[in-house]
Amino acid sequence: MAALALAGCLAAPAAAAQEAKTPQDRAIGALTVFAVAYAAWIWEGRCHELDEARRAQFQRLIEADLLGLNQVFEPRLVGAATGSGRDTGQAAECGGKNAGLAAFGVEQASDVAATLKGLPPGYRITVTP
C-alpha cells in the first residue's frame, strides 16, 4: 500500500514544479517535490541502494534543501513535508517496485535546489491563520 502511495506521489510533484509560474507556485512546488525526495532519503537510509559517494551527495542535497526551504517557509510547513516524507519512506518496501527510488530522490533533491535558487532574493511565504 505504501509503495502505491509513493508511486502516486512521484510524477505529480515533478509535473507541478515544471508548470509553476509565479514565485509562490514554484516555492510550493519545490516543497512538494522535497517531500518526495525526503521519502526517498529515508528509504535509502533503510535500503542502501546508493554507493557511499552518491549517498553523501544525497545527504548534502537534503541538508541544503532543508536550509533553503526553512528560509522560504514557516517551520511547520517544512515539518509537514518532512513528516509526510518520513512516513512514506519508512513504509515503502526495499527493492522490487521501488528499485531506483534513491537515485530518483537525488534528482528530485537537485530540482528543489535549482528551484530555490531561482526564487527572488529574500522570498518568503507566510501562512496566516
Side-chain angles (χ1 to χ4, degrees):
M1 184 70 143
L4 266 180
L6 182 57
C9 293
L10 296 181
Q18 291 173 357
E19 294 174 13
K21 302 209 187 304
T22 67
Q24 179 178 344
D25 289 342
R26 291 193 316 262
I28 291 169
L31 186 62
T32 304
V33 171
F34 177 77
V36 175
Y38 197 76
W41 170 244
I42 296 298
W43 182 87
E44 169 59 22
R46 291 180 26 251
C47 301
H48 307 288
E49 182 178 70
L50 301 175
D51 63 35
E52 188 175 321
R54 189 87 160 146
R55 189 175 301 116
Q57 176 194 18
F58 198 4
Q59 180 173 348
R60 287 189 301 273
L61 284 166
I62 291 293
E63 290 171 354
D65 288 351
L66 279 168
L67 286 173
L69 289 168
N70 276 303
Q71 291 174 357
V72 174
F73 293 98
E74 297 172 6
R76 66 186 168 124
L77 295 176
V78 178
T82 58
S84 174
R86 182 176 34 260
D87 292 348
T88 303
Q90 288 173 342
E93 295 178 15
C94 294
K97 295 178 187 176
N98 293 322
L101 180 59
F104 180 77
V106 173
E107 293 173 18
Q108 296 299 290
S110 294
D111 289 349
V112 171
T115 299
L116 291 173
K117 286 180 185 175
L119 293 175
Y123 188 77
R124 182 139 176 92
I125 293 178
T126 304
V127 178
T128 54

